[in-house]
Amino acid sequence: MNFSYLFIILLLFINNVLSYGYVGHQITASIAQKFLLPKVREHVRELLPKNANGNLYPIASWADRVKFTPKYRFTSRMHYITAPRNNPPDSCTVIYTPGKIDVLNAIHNYTNRLDPKSNLDFWSRAEALRFLVHFLGDLHQPLHVAAKFRGGNGAKAIFEGHKTTLHYIWDSRLINKHIRELGYKFTFSDDIANNFYDGPFFEPYVKYIINLMKTVWKQEVAEWAVCNEEVEYIFEKETQELLKPNSILFENNNKQTHFEVNSRREKEKYSLNKKQTSVSCPEFWAVPLNRLNCQIVWKDYIPDTELSEGIYYERIKRTRIVEKLLAITGIRIAAVLNSLLG
Ligand SMILES: *[C@@H]1O[C@H](CO)[C@@H](O)[C@H](O)[C@H]1NC(C)=O
């Protein structure tokens, strides 16, 4: 049976509340693959199935699908963290508990499993790659790192006249809206069907995001992936070389950070507490991501009101937070893969 049909049938019955929407995952994977070292791209290619065109991308698709199969039901708690002391917008904290089943531990698990040093068999590493890309995406949807009302799944809202939830708005609706605003007429069936292929419908959006990286965010981009000075990121050196022709992206090396993710202060605070040895540091990245729930996601949320306009939406527009999170995710996926497989 054609797997994609099977998937569409499944989708009609399952309300996807578990992860960043399909399109979100596709976009982060598309951004990431632009920053992979050639050697790493080849390695990734080997670990992935081919689509109809013999093309292997986008790399995020697989984990989106398998999570619905009974075999992978055990991963359902790996898409988010529960943060008991969280009460956004008033308090936003992340507590990392090693060994707990959550997105932070899952990212560590699949980072370790993908590492060639793990000596795991081909299939286990192929599986790890897909889950890793998927969970790094989920981590950057702020509601996946805040527990309140089941990560906003229980928070009713209206978006562009439709009843929905805060969670779904941040998983999909904002992204879909912004793709549409760039001129593409986005339909629900695109969200389902096109994601099996290299959906051209989000390419203008990816270009728009890359362009922001080269201009508005160019001084911060190289800092996004860092979690610990001791881990040597191949990303930072060789990817810069790789991008030489349009290297304004990394022109500035003076280590300035403008975005709150990875502020110097936090980095120092963090390294006092934990010795980071992994190339992924989700528990560190999660802190400022979680704080976005206080600053933006839950701020000015009023149940059952329209959130695609007014003070709530203006803040989203002004901060470009949706695009920035996608960009940061893409860069981190690339950095982790380059460091592991480069
Ligand atoms: C790590 O991944 C493997 C393979 O999917 C899984 O069987 C195992 O339960 C995971 N371990 C943790 C602690 O999540």
Side-chain angles (χ1 to χ4, degrees):
M1 182 172 185
N2 183 320
F3 185 53
S4 47
Y5 283 118
L6 176 66
F7 174 69
I8 289 167
I9 291 162
L10 276 176
L11 200 89
L12 297 175
F13 294 100
I14 300 165
N15 187 9
N16 174 34
V17 292
L18 284 176
S19 71
Y20 228 151
Y22 306 103
V23 175
H25 283 296
Q26 303 265 348
I27 291 167
T28 58
S30 293
I31 294 170
Q33 75 196 31
K34 292 185 199 301
F35 295 97
L36 293 179
L37 300 168
K39 181 184 161 198
V40 174
R41 192 170 299 166
E42 269 319 298
H43 197 129
V44 164
R45 191 177 282 275
E46 280 161 23
L47 290 171
L48 292 175
K50 291 180 177 53
N51 74 14
N53 310 322
N55 195 335
L56 298 147
Y57 302 127
I59 54 181
S61 9
W62 184 84
D64 269 335
R65 254 127 251 151
V66 293
K67 74 181 181 207
F68 297 120
T69 69
K71 183 182 170 212
Y72 285 105
R73 204 157 280 158
F74 74 94
T75 65
S76 65
R77 282 196 293 149
M78 296 180 186
H79 295 261
Y80 55 88
I81 59 170
T82 53
R85 288 206 239 132
N86 247 38
N87 189 27
D90 300 320
S91 73
C92 287
T93 36
V94 176
I95 299 166
Y96 172 54
T97 315
K100 205 170 157 184
I101 301 193
D102 60 21
V103 69
L104 306 177
N105 287 288
I107 289 171
H108 280 304
N109 186 26
Y110 290 110
T111 301
N112 295 336
R113 293 176 69 87
L114 176 60
D115 191 334
K117 287 195 224 80
S118 72
N119 283 324
L120 288 172
D121 57 78
F122 175 86
W123 173 244
S124 299
R125 293 189 56 243
E127 179 192 67
L129 169 66
R130 295 153 186 179
F131 276 122
L132 179 60
V133 170
H134 183 93
F135 293 139
L136 280 171
D138 282 352
L139 180 74
H140 290 77
Q141 203 279 49
L143 287 164
H144 283 248
V145 289
K148 189 174 180 175
F149 290 139
R150 293 177 291 117
N153 278 303
K156 288 189 184 144
I158 299 169
F159 198 82
E160 300 184 314
H162 298 280
K163 282 190 182 175
T164 182
T165 66
L166 198 57
H167 191 98
Y168 192 65
I169 288 174
W170 283 87
D171 263 359
S172 298
R173 284 203 171 267
L174 284 163
I175 295 172
N176 295 1
K177 176 177 168 61
H178 294 183
I179 291 174
R180 242 189 291 120
E181 283 171 357
L182 287 177
Y184 186 83
K185 286 192 181 51
F186 199 96
T187 66
F188 181 64
S189 60
D190 281 329
D191 200 7
I192 301 171
N194 273 343
N195 82 89
F196 289 102
Y197 312 103
D198 303 308
F201 64 98
F202 59 75
E203 266 312 309
Y205 191 51
V206 168
K207 283 209 185 93
Y208 171 75
I209 292 171
I210 299 275
N211 196 45
L212 286 169
M213 289 160 75
K214 290 180 180 177
T215 54
V216 183
W217 304 323
K218 71 173 178 186
Q219 300 190 326
E220 359 170 359
V221 171
E223 285 268 312
W224 286 347
V226 177
C227 53
N228 184 325
E229 264 96 69
E230 286 166 45
V231 176
E232 220 190 303
Y233 280 91
I234 293 168
F235 168 80
E236 288 184 88
K237 292 195 191 110
E238 292 178 34
T239 305
Q240 285 181 50
E241 287 301 310
L242 201 70
L243 292 174
K244 267 276 156 69
N246 53 350
S247 62
I248 43 166
L249 197 62
F250 296 101
E251 211 169 58
N252 189 304
N253 287 322
N254 68 5
K255 294 258 166 194
Q256 266 181 290
T257 309
H258 300 291
F259 189 50
E260 280 152 300
V261 166
N262 295 342
S263 77
R264 175 75 53 195
R265 197 169 55 87
E266 227 147 49
K267 214 175 277 175
E268 278 159 14
K269 196 170 127 210
Y270 179 81
S271 58
L272 287 178
N273 299 332
K274 290 218 175 56
K275 192 100 176 134
Q276 180 70 46
T277 51
S278 171
V279 296
S280 297
C281 48
E283 65 275 38
F284 172 66
W285 291 331
V287 175
L289 290 168
N290 170 275
R291 203 180 304 124
L292 290 172
N293 287 294
C294 285
Q295 296 165 332
I296 298 178
V297 180
W298 282 94
K299 198 178 166 82
D300 297 317
Y301 161 74
I302 301 164
D304 292 310
T305 60
E306 176 61 64
L307 298 183
S308 70
E309 56 191 37
I311 182 175
Y312 187 87
Y313 184 70
E314 275 155 26
R315 186 177 294 117
I316 291 169
K317 237 359 203 189
R318 191 177 64 243
T319 55
R320 296 190 176 96
I321 190 64
V322 177
E323 290 71 34
K324 195 161 195 176
L325 289 170
L326 293 168
I328 290 173
T329 312
I331 287 294
R332 287 180 177 164
I333 291 171
V336 169
L337 297 183
N338 284 345
S339 304
L340 276 182
L341 310 174

Short mmCIF file of all heavy atoms in Angstrom, two decimals, residues 9 18 44 80-81 104-106 118 121 167 180 193 210 249 266 271 329 332:
data_model
loop_
_atom_site.label_atom_id
_atom_site.label_comp_id
_atom_site.label_asym_id
_atom_site.label_seq_id
_atom_site.Cartn_x
_atom_site.Cartn_y
_atom_site.Cartn_z
N ILE A 9 -4.95 8.87 5.50
CA ILE A 9 -6.10 8.26 6.17
C ILE A 9 -5.94 8.37 7.68
O ILE A 9 -6.85 8.78 8.39
CB ILE A 9 -6.25 6.77 5.75
CG1 ILE A 9 -6.67 6.71 4.27
CG2 ILE A 9 -7.28 6.05 6.61
CD1 ILE A 9 -6.45 5.37 3.62
N LEU A 18 0.74 16.74 18.89
CA LEU A 18 2.00 16.34 19.50
C LEU A 18 3.20 17.17 19.11
O LEU A 18 4.18 17.21 19.82
CB LEU A 18 2.30 14.88 19.15
CG LEU A 18 1.49 13.85 19.92
CD1 LEU A 18 1.82 12.47 19.39
CD2 LEU A 18 1.77 13.94 21.39
N VAL A 44 24.04 11.99 5.64
CA VAL A 44 22.62 12.10 5.92
C VAL A 44 21.81 11.44 4.80
O VAL A 44 20.85 10.71 5.05
CB VAL A 44 22.22 13.60 6.08
CG1 VAL A 44 20.73 13.81 5.99
CG2 VAL A 44 22.75 14.13 7.40
N TYR A 80 7.79 16.84 24.30
CA TYR A 80 7.62 18.05 25.13
C TYR A 80 8.23 17.81 26.51
O TYR A 80 8.66 16.69 26.81
CB TYR A 80 6.14 18.40 25.27
CG TYR A 80 5.30 17.25 25.79
CD1 TYR A 80 5.12 17.07 27.16
CD2 TYR A 80 4.69 16.33 24.92
CE1 TYR A 80 4.37 16.02 27.65
CE2 TYR A 80 3.94 15.28 25.40
CZ TYR A 80 3.78 15.12 26.77
OH TYR A 80 3.05 14.07 27.26
N ILE A 81 8.25 18.86 27.32
CA ILE A 81 8.61 18.65 28.73
C ILE A 81 7.42 19.05 29.59
O ILE A 81 6.60 19.87 29.20
CB ILE A 81 9.84 19.46 29.19
CG1 ILE A 81 9.63 20.97 29.03
CG2 ILE A 81 11.09 19.01 28.48
CD1 ILE A 81 10.70 21.80 29.69
N LEU A 104 13.90 16.81 26.26
CA LEU A 104 15.30 17.10 26.55
C LEU A 104 16.13 15.81 26.56
O LEU A 104 17.19 15.72 25.91
CB LEU A 104 15.43 17.83 27.90
CG LEU A 104 14.59 19.09 28.07
CD1 LEU A 104 14.76 19.66 29.47
CD2 LEU A 104 14.96 20.14 27.03
N ASN A 105 15.63 14.83 27.27
CA ASN A 105 16.34 13.55 27.33
C ASN A 105 16.31 12.82 25.99
O ASN A 105 17.27 12.12 25.64
CB ASN A 105 15.77 12.68 28.44
CG ASN A 105 16.19 13.19 29.82
OD1 ASN A 105 17.35 13.07 30.20
ND2 ASN A 105 15.26 13.81 30.54
N ALA A 106 15.23 12.99 25.26
CA ALA A 106 15.14 12.34 23.94
C ALA A 106 16.20 12.91 23.00
O ALA A 106 16.84 12.17 22.26
CB ALA A 106 13.75 12.53 23.34
N SER A 118 28.73 5.52 18.59
CA SER A 118 27.78 4.64 19.27
C SER A 118 27.90 3.20 18.75
O SER A 118 27.48 2.26 19.42
CB SER A 118 26.34 5.12 19.06
OG SER A 118 25.92 4.89 17.72
N ASP A 121 23.76 -0.15 14.80
CA ASP A 121 23.55 -0.61 13.43
C ASP A 121 22.94 0.52 12.58
O ASP A 121 22.47 1.53 13.11
CB ASP A 121 22.63 -1.83 13.42
CG ASP A 121 21.31 -1.53 14.09
OD1 ASP A 121 20.45 -0.88 13.46
OD2 ASP A 121 21.14 -1.91 15.27
N HIS A 167 -1.96 26.12 21.25
CA HIS A 167 -0.93 25.19 20.80
C HIS A 167 -0.92 25.08 19.27
O HIS A 167 0.12 25.14 18.63
CB HIS A 167 -1.12 23.81 21.42
CG HIS A 167 0.06 22.90 21.19
ND1 HIS A 167 1.04 22.71 22.12
CD2 HIS A 167 0.43 22.18 20.11
CE1 HIS A 167 1.97 21.90 21.63
NE2 HIS A 167 1.61 21.56 20.41
N ARG A 180 1.37 32.23 3.54
CA ARG A 180 0.31 32.81 2.70
C ARG A 180 0.58 34.27 2.39
O ARG A 180 0.39 34.74 1.27
CB ARG A 180 -1.02 32.71 3.44
CG ARG A 180 -2.05 31.87 2.75
CD ARG A 180 -3.40 32.01 3.43
NE ARG A 180 -3.45 31.43 4.76
CZ ARG A 180 -3.72 32.11 5.88
NH1 ARG A 180 -3.98 33.39 5.84
NH2 ARG A 180 -3.74 31.50 7.04
N ALA A 193 -0.47 16.95 2.05
CA ALA A 193 0.06 16.23 0.89
C ALA A 193 1.45 16.69 0.47
O ALA A 193 2.34 15.88 0.26
CB ALA A 193 -0.90 16.37 -0.28
N ILE A 210 16.10 32.98 5.40
CA ILE A 210 17.55 33.02 5.17
C ILE A 210 18.00 34.46 4.97
O ILE A 210 19.06 34.87 5.47
CB ILE A 210 17.92 32.18 3.91
CG1 ILE A 210 17.51 30.72 4.11
CG2 ILE A 210 19.40 32.33 3.56
CD1 ILE A 210 18.48 29.84 4.83
N LEU A 249 26.64 36.35 6.13
CA LEU A 249 25.96 35.63 7.21
C LEU A 249 26.85 35.50 8.43
O LEU A 249 26.40 35.53 9.56
CB LEU A 249 25.58 34.25 6.68
CG LEU A 249 24.55 33.46 7.42
CD1 LEU A 249 23.24 34.18 7.40
CD2 LEU A 249 24.39 32.11 6.77
N GLU A 266 23.72 33.71 30.95
CA GLU A 266 23.11 32.40 31.10
C GLU A 266 24.13 31.29 30.86
O GLU A 266 24.13 30.27 31.50
CB GLU A 266 22.00 32.26 30.07
CG GLU A 266 20.75 31.71 30.66
CD GLU A 266 19.57 32.30 29.95
OE1 GLU A 266 19.59 32.28 28.72
OE2 GLU A 266 18.67 32.80 30.64
N SER A 271 27.20 26.88 32.84
CA SER A 271 28.41 26.06 32.88
C SER A 271 28.93 25.86 34.31
O SER A 271 29.70 24.97 34.58
CB SER A 271 29.49 26.65 31.97
OG SER A 271 29.76 27.96 32.39
N THR A 329 16.33 26.92 14.94
CA THR A 329 16.24 25.46 14.88
C THR A 329 17.08 24.90 13.74
O THR A 329 17.84 23.95 13.91
CB THR A 329 14.78 25.00 14.67
OG1 THR A 329 13.94 25.70 15.59
CG2 THR A 329 14.64 23.51 14.89
N ARG A 332 20.73 25.06 14.49
CA ARG A 332 21.14 24.09 15.52
C ARG A 332 21.15 22.67 14.97
O ARG A 332 22.04 21.89 15.30
CB ARG A 332 20.23 24.21 16.76
CG ARG A 332 20.56 25.46 17.53
CD ARG A 332 19.72 25.65 18.75
NE ARG A 332 20.19 26.86 19.45
CZ ARG A 332 19.51 27.51 20.37
NH1 ARG A 332 18.32 27.08 20.74
NH2 ARG A 332 20.02 28.58 20.92
#
